[in-house]
Amino acid sequence: MPLDSVSHNFLTGRVEDLVNWARKSSVWPATFGLACCALEMMATGAAHYDLARFGMEVFRASPRQADLMIVAGRVSQKMAPVLRQVYDQMVEPKWVISMGVCASSGGMFNNYAIVQGVDQVVPVDVYVPGCPPGPETLMHGILTLHDGKGKKDRTVPLPQSILPELQAQLERVLKLHDQDIAAGYAGVFMDGLLEKKYPAAPRELVWQWFFPAKTLTLVPVQGEYRRYHLHESHVQKALRAAVRQAKLLKRVSAHTFRHSFATHLLQANYDIRTIQELLGHSDVRTTMIYTHTIQSRTVKEAKSPLDLDTTGVRS
Ligand code: SF4
């Protein structure tokens, strides 16, 4: 159809952008209040603050209908496995906001009964400071999630130094895939409706997990065995063991690697825009946070541009 025969204006765009926009505009939080912070969370949902304008007013009682967990309050050791289970049952993609000082670091409850930071249990996307954080602060956290990390991809360059290990892992995956196919397994678990679109894909090599779970999982309804990826908790356990072995005295979580990634690149004199892009920050001011940890070697004493010309020729 020629363009001039279209009688109305139209816009073009990518389906991916449309889906992300819809996702961002209808984040549904799980109903999960743990302590006093939860009252502020409830106040945020009430009429005065109106979370409905973000499409978020419906706190879901079932984690299967929620994609945001707001950890509002201190997390006791007893509650930690429950919290993790609720998180595991939430739909992908999902996010976590750690609300208040208690959820983020244990706060004033520096004792064995309270988890000293919920990022030891689930991966946290945004930390909301305060005791308790008011509704405005929580909403700021929600907007950070919308426009900051949730909006951009993060990129990590593959280190050349670990190529032999990656190659060995690939060999393991190839071998495991051959064994699984020979045993007649039903394939890997796939995201959303992908399997409907590509029914043969779960058994194809290209869709296998690079870090597969050790055992197969039984799907009782179909009576078939499938394979998940390695659970994040394995990485967390390995990290804890490494931290113990290295006798590090500071608290280290998987998130620490993100800070160390940025700080090392800054130390190597990478420009801040490149680091911003790699970290997926939409605003360079977020990336600037890392600059206080090291002394800049690129910033020189400020001079007038007129003085920069050392040839003596003025145009
Ligand atoms: S941060 Fe303050 S308000 Fe929130 S749970 Fe802890 S003590 Fe309560």
Side-chain angles (χ1 to χ4, degrees):
M1 180 168 54
L3 278 182
D4 48 13
S5 66
V6 179
S7 54
H8 299 290
N9 292 337
F10 60 90
L11 290 170
T12 60
R14 294 186 305 170
V15 175
E16 192 189 350
D17 290 341
L18 184 69
V19 170
N20 282 341
W21 169 78
R23 210 173 247 161
K24 186 182 101 172
S25 312
S26 60
V27 179
W28 285 358
T31 309
F32 205 80
L34 289 169
C36 9
C37 273
L39 296 173
E40 298 292 333
M41 180 177 74
M42 288 182 240
T44 318
H48 189 72
Y49 292 97
D50 190 18
L51 268 183
R53 58 193 146 137
F54 306 120
M56 292 181 67
E57 74 279 24
V58 199
F59 278 73
R60 309 308 296 181
S62 164
R64 299 192 196 284
Q65 297 166 354
D67 52 2
L68 171 67
M69 174 183 271
I70 303 175
V71 185
R74 67 218 161 9
V75 184
S76 65
Q77 296 287 357
K78 196 173 159 191
M79 187 49 94
V82 182
L83 183 138
R84 178 72 212 196
Q85 190 177 4
V86 172
Y87 175 80
D88 284 340
Q89 289 175 339
M90 284 164 51
V91 290
E92 294 276 3
K94 52 195 168 190
W95 296 274
V96 176
I97 291 181
S98 169
M99 180 179 181
V101 65
C102 288
S104 301
S105 67
M108 66 205 78
F109 301 102
N110 187 8
N111 61 48
Y112 63 84
I114 300 295
V115 175
Q116 300 296 296
V118 71
D119 53 8
Q120 293 177 12
V121 185
V122 290
V124 173
D125 295 282
V126 175
Y127 297 85
V128 176
C131 172
E136 298 87 352
T137 322
L138 178 59
M139 276 162 54
H140 182 259
I142 290 168
L143 290 175
T144 306
L145 191 68
H146 282 183
D147 297 334
K149 298 178 176 195
K151 207 173 168 188
K152 296 254 183 155
D153 289 338
R154 305 164 188 186
T155 325
V156 178
L158 279 183
Q160 296 293 315
S161 52
I162 63 162
L163 275 185
E165 282 92 339
L166 292 177
Q167 194 64 42
Q169 179 63 19
L170 188 59
E171 298 294 332
R172 277 197 284 275
V173 171
L174 291 175
K175 208 165 142 200
L176 186 67
H177 181 235
D178 286 344
Q179 285 169 5
D180 281 345
I181 291 290
Y185 95 135
V188 288
F189 287 97
M190 298 195 61
D191 231 14
L193 295 175
L194 266 180
E195 188 168 342
K196 222 172 176 180
K197 197 170 173 192
Y198 310 111
R203 286 163 58 86
E204 285 172 9
L205 175 63
V206 71
W207 290 97
Q208 303 308 301
W209 301 110
F210 192 66
F211 293 108
K214 280 190 189 147
T215 52
L216 293 172
T217 304
L218 173 67
V219 187
V221 183
Q222 286 95 355
E224 57 188 26
Y225 283 92
R226 296 209 168 209
R227 198 175 283 284
Y228 265 119
H229 55 75
L230 197 72
H231 199 269
E232 301 106 81
S233 58
H234 286 91
V235 181
Q236 285 157 357
K237 271 186 209 149
L239 180 62
R240 275 200 291 275
V243 169
R244 257 199 314 274
Q245 210 176 335
K247 296 191 171 54
L248 294 180
L249 298 179
K250 294 230 168 193
R251 199 169 68 79
V252 178
S253 70
H255 192 77
T256 311
F257 287 115
R258 190 167 160 80
H259 291 262
S260 119
F261 178 84
T263 314
H264 277 93
L265 289 181
L266 276 172
Q267 268 174 332
N269 277 343
Y270 272 67
D271 71 283
I272 195 96
R273 290 284 177 195
T274 306
I275 302 172
Q276 178 195 357
E277 207 178 310
L278 291 173
L279 292 177
H281 292 155
S282 55
D283 190 330
V284 76
R285 279 175 298 183
T286 315
T287 321
M288 294 291 282
I289 291 168
Y290 298 106
T291 55
H292 76 271
T293 58
I294 57 156
Q295 202 142 31
S296 170
R297 280 181 273 154
T298 50
V299 178
K300 302 180 181 73
E301 189 196 341
K303 276 188 180 177
S304 160
L306 273 179
D307 295 336
L308 293 181
D309 187 353
T310 52
T311 61
V313 181
R314 301 270 184 257
S315 55

